[in-house]
């Protein structure tokens, strides 16, 4: 079974429309929809915005459904000039850019207990997601994902995240989902279509493009399920 998580309803809508034999279950405040898309077993969940919401959803999904893989689909802010609105980044690794115990001598982004900065993402499933993106005509790029509990819209913050973590995209959930997947030994992937430039104009660009970007990512997810899952 493929677990699919999105922060917002607009990121899940196209997938939910395609769900067959849907069964609904609400646990820990999260509604899980299980069934099949293109004949492939899936569980869908809109986790809400931010790392804690994402972690609660991912952990609950892991315990209830034991998915073989969890894929986080949605939108994100571009951290470099080579990325344009509606391009899609398939994550190479995830970081939690807002974790900071540097006052105690740790590197910024270092997550104690699991004692790491980078959270792994499945290369095998990411290769298939990239194929699915190409099939749908989207521009697919590989890059690191930086997650934190902020909507990044300030050039200095953007530059610091890009440089410190070598990241291509900022968003607010993927690093938490990858963290939960690591703890539960579940392969994880992150797919993020660019909705804005994470700088001065980000709020306006996001308002204009978030829904279209969300659909680009969701269409690739559907193609992945049809052809590669
Ligand atoms: N998701 C989409 N755009 C974003 C941004 N600029 N910062 C954080 N999350 C986002």
């Amino acid at each position: 079974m493929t677990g699919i998580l999105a922060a917002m309803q607009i990121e899940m809508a196209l997938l939910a429309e395609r769900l067959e034999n849907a069964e609904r279950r609400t646990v820990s405040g999260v509604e899980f929809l299980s069934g099949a898309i293109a004949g492939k077993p899936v569980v869908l969940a809109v986790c809400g915005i931010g790392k804690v919401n994402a972690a609660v959803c991912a952990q609950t999904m892991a315990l209830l459904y034991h998915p073989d893989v969890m894929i986080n689909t949605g939108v994100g802010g571009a951290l470099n000039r080579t990325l344009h609105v509606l391009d899609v980044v398939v994550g190479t690794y995830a970081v939690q850019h807002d974790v900071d115990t540097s006052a105690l001598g740790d590197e910024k982004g270092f997550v104690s207990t699991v004692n790491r900065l980078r959270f792994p993402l499945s290369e095998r499933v990411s290769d298939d997601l990239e194929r699915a993106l190409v099939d749908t005509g989207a521009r697919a790029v590989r890059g690191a994902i930086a997650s934190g509990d902020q909507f990044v819209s300030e050039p200095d913050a953007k530059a610091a995240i890009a440089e410190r973590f070598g990241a291509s995209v900022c968003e607010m959930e993927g690093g938490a989902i990858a963290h939960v997947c690591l703890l539960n030994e579940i392969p994880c992937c992150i797919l993020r279509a660019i909705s804005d430039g994470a700088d001065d104009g980000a709020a306006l660009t996001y308002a204009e493009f978030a829904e279209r970007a969300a659909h680009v990512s969701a269409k690739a997810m559907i193609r992945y399920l049809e052809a590669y899952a």
Side-chain angles (χ1 to χ4, degrees), residues 63-131:
L63 292 174
L64 292 179
Y65 294 95
H66 307 286
D68 307 306
V69 59
M70 281 195 206
I71 304 177
N72 175 213
T73 178
V75 301
L79 292 177
N80 65 59
R81 285 180 211 282
T82 67
L83 287 169
H84 302 101
V85 164
L86 307 184
D87 290 348
V88 186
V89 177
V90 181
T92 48
Y93 61 84
V95 299
Q96 298 178 30
H97 69 76
D98 57 350
V99 175
D100 185 358
T101 50
S102 58
L104 305 176
D106 295 328
E107 223 180 324
K108 282 191 175 162
F110 179 83
V111 182
S112 63
T113 310
V114 289
N115 296 335
R116 62 172 61 233
L117 202 136
R118 293 181 176 192
F119 290 83
L121 299 171
S122 166
E123 234 177 278
R124 184 183 61 77
V125 182
S126 295
D127 284 346
D128 287 337
L129 287 171
E130 197 172 338
R131 287 186 191 100

Side-chain angles (χ1 to χ4, degrees), residues 8 11 75-78 97 146 148 150-153 170-173 192-193 195-199 202 206:
M8 303 180 293
E11 297 167 314
V75 301
H97 69 76
Q150 291 122 33
F151 185 87
V152 179
S153 59
C170 59
E171 42 84 300
M172 303 177 67
E173 297 81 23
R192 292 282 179 164
S195 57
D196 58 85
D199 52 17
Y206 178 87

Side-chain angles (χ1 to χ4, degrees), residues 13 31-33 54 75 87 105-106 124 132-133 137-138 157 180 184 196 218:
E31 183 178 70
F32 295 91
L33 290 174
V75 301
D87 290 348
D106 295 328
R124 184 183 61 77
L133 280 161
V180 169
N184 290 276
D196 58 85

